[in-house]
């Protein structure tokens, strides 16, 4: 953890509690995700740890703007925002690798397979009823916010679970970029990784291969 700890220790905005929580979460991450973090994330990657607006990675600055205090008590899991936004940074540092056509195709294929699975297990009077069922199943912020967000983008809002973006936000590249960041964050959270693997198994493999190739 040497390189990672050095980055944290250089961040004046971080409280002792937040540093401890981030270190703990990092220590349980997958090897490929930790390697990617140490290879691509520079010191002072977060420009503002007391940011009051929506957390964001800004490619124009190569920096993250987020709120550490809010992330410590995150209902998605402690430090989820930290690892999600660093997922965006790593994607950008790797040359927007999430935009690879194969990754988007995997996401679409996994989405269709998941919907087919739901259809086989249930009888629906209409397509809307089916989408309501899927939306209702993605109801736990701790477990489902990542997969809910990706499903919303892929279905153009037909699936609307516990979390998502404004519908006008989405296009193919943004779906891929958000999926990359969600999957990177899930590398450090067993609960959220399990849900990602359940709904997007082939996409998750593709993502992990992208990280492997880049490290």
């Amino acid at each position: 953890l040497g390189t990672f700890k050095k980055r944290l220790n250089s961040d004046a905005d971080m409280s002792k509690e937040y540093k401890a929580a981030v270190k703990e979460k990092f220590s349980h991450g997958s090897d490929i995700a930790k390697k990617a973090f140490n290879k691509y994330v520079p010191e002072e990657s977060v420009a503002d740890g007391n940011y009051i607006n929506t957390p964001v990675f800004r490619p124009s600055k190569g920096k993250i703007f987020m709120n550490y205090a809010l992330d410590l008590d995150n209902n998605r899991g402690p430090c989820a925002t930290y690892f999600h936004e660093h997922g965006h940074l790593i994607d950008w540092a790797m040359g927007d690798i999430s935009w690879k056509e194969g990754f988007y195709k995997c996401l679409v294929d996994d989405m269709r397979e998941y919907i087919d699975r739901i259809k086989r297990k249930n009888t629906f009077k209409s397509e809307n009823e089916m989408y309501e069922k899927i939306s209702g199943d993605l109801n736990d912020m701790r477990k489902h916010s990542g997969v809910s967000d990706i499903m919303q983008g892929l279905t153009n809002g037909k699936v609307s679970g516990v979390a998502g973006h404004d519908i006008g936000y989405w296009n193919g590249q943004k779906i891929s970029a958000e999926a990359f960041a969600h999957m990177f964050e899930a590398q450090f959270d067993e609960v959220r990784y399990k849900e990602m693997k359940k709904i997007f198994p082939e996409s998750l493999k593709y993502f992990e291969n992208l990280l492997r190739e880049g490290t």
Side-chain angles (χ1 to χ4, degrees):
L1 298 183
T3 308
F4 181 71
K5 285 182 179 178
K6 185 178 178 182
R7 288 188 184 90
L8 296 192
N9 291 336
S10 70
D11 194 325
D13 288 342
M14 275 194 187
S15 66
K16 289 182 180 178
E17 293 79 7
Y18 191 76
K19 280 183 184 178
V22 171
K23 285 179 184 177
E24 172 67 14
K25 197 156 192 174
F26 187 85
S27 71
H28 294 292
S30 69
D31 288 343
I32 53 170
K34 288 190 282 191
K35 283 180 182 177
F37 194 105
N38 282 328
K39 181 173 181 177
Y40 292 106
V41 176
E43 288 188 36
E44 299 179 1
S45 56
V46 179
D48 185 354
N50 298 301
Y51 192 62
I52 60 171
N53 295 316
T54 303
V56 64
F57 166 67
R58 292 184 178 158
S60 61
K61 297 181 181 295
K63 298 284 186 179
I64 293 165
F65 297 77
M66 61 171 290
N67 191 295
Y68 293 145
L70 293 178
D71 197 31
L72 185 59
D73 193 31
N74 196 327
N75 56 6
R76 293 165 170 83
C79 313
T81 296
Y82 183 87
F83 288 102
H84 180 90
E85 296 304 330
H86 278 90
H88 282 305
L89 185 154
I90 289 166
D91 182 16
W92 168 78
M94 294 175 75
D96 295 316
I97 199 167
S98 67
W99 294 7
K100 278 198 170 186
E101 186 179 342
F103 185 47
Y104 181 74
K105 184 180 183 302
C106 277
L107 290 167
V108 172
D109 289 347
D110 277 341
M111 177 266 293
R112 288 174 176 164
E113 172 57 31
Y114 182 72
I115 288 174
D116 285 344
R117 235 183 301 161
I118 298 297
K119 283 180 179 177
R120 290 194 294 269
K121 291 180 180 179
N122 299 273
T123 302
F124 299 108
K125 295 177 182 177
S126 67
E127 191 176 74
N128 283 343
E129 187 179 23
M130 177 195 69
Y131 285 123
E132 285 174 7
K133 159 69 175 170
I134 296 171
S135 299
D137 287 345
L138 303 179
N139 61 5
D140 187 323
M141 189 68 80
R142 176 71 182 91
K143 293 180 178 180
H144 301 134
S145 67
V147 292
S148 170
D149 191 38
I150 301 168
M151 285 292 285
Q152 184 206 49
L154 289 168
T155 62
N156 197 30
K158 291 176 182 176
V159 171
S160 184
V162 72
H165 283 75
D166 292 335
I167 295 302
Y169 171 79
W170 295 112
N171 60 37
Q173 288 181 343
K174 286 182 178 176
I175 292 168
S176 295
E178 288 299 336
F180 187 101
H182 284 305
M183 289 179 184
F184 184 79
E185 180 259 313
Q187 299 290 311
F188 300 89
D189 191 317
E190 186 178 354
V191 171
R192 293 164 72 76
Y193 186 90
K194 183 179 178 181
E195 298 303 317
M196 195 66 69
K197 190 173 183 179
K198 184 190 300 181
I199 298 179
F200 295 105
E202 296 307 315
S203 305
L204 190 58
K205 288 178 189 175
Y206 193 101
F207 161 81
E208 289 169 347
N209 282 332
L210 288 178
L211 281 192
R212 250 182 229 105
E213 290 167 7
T215 56

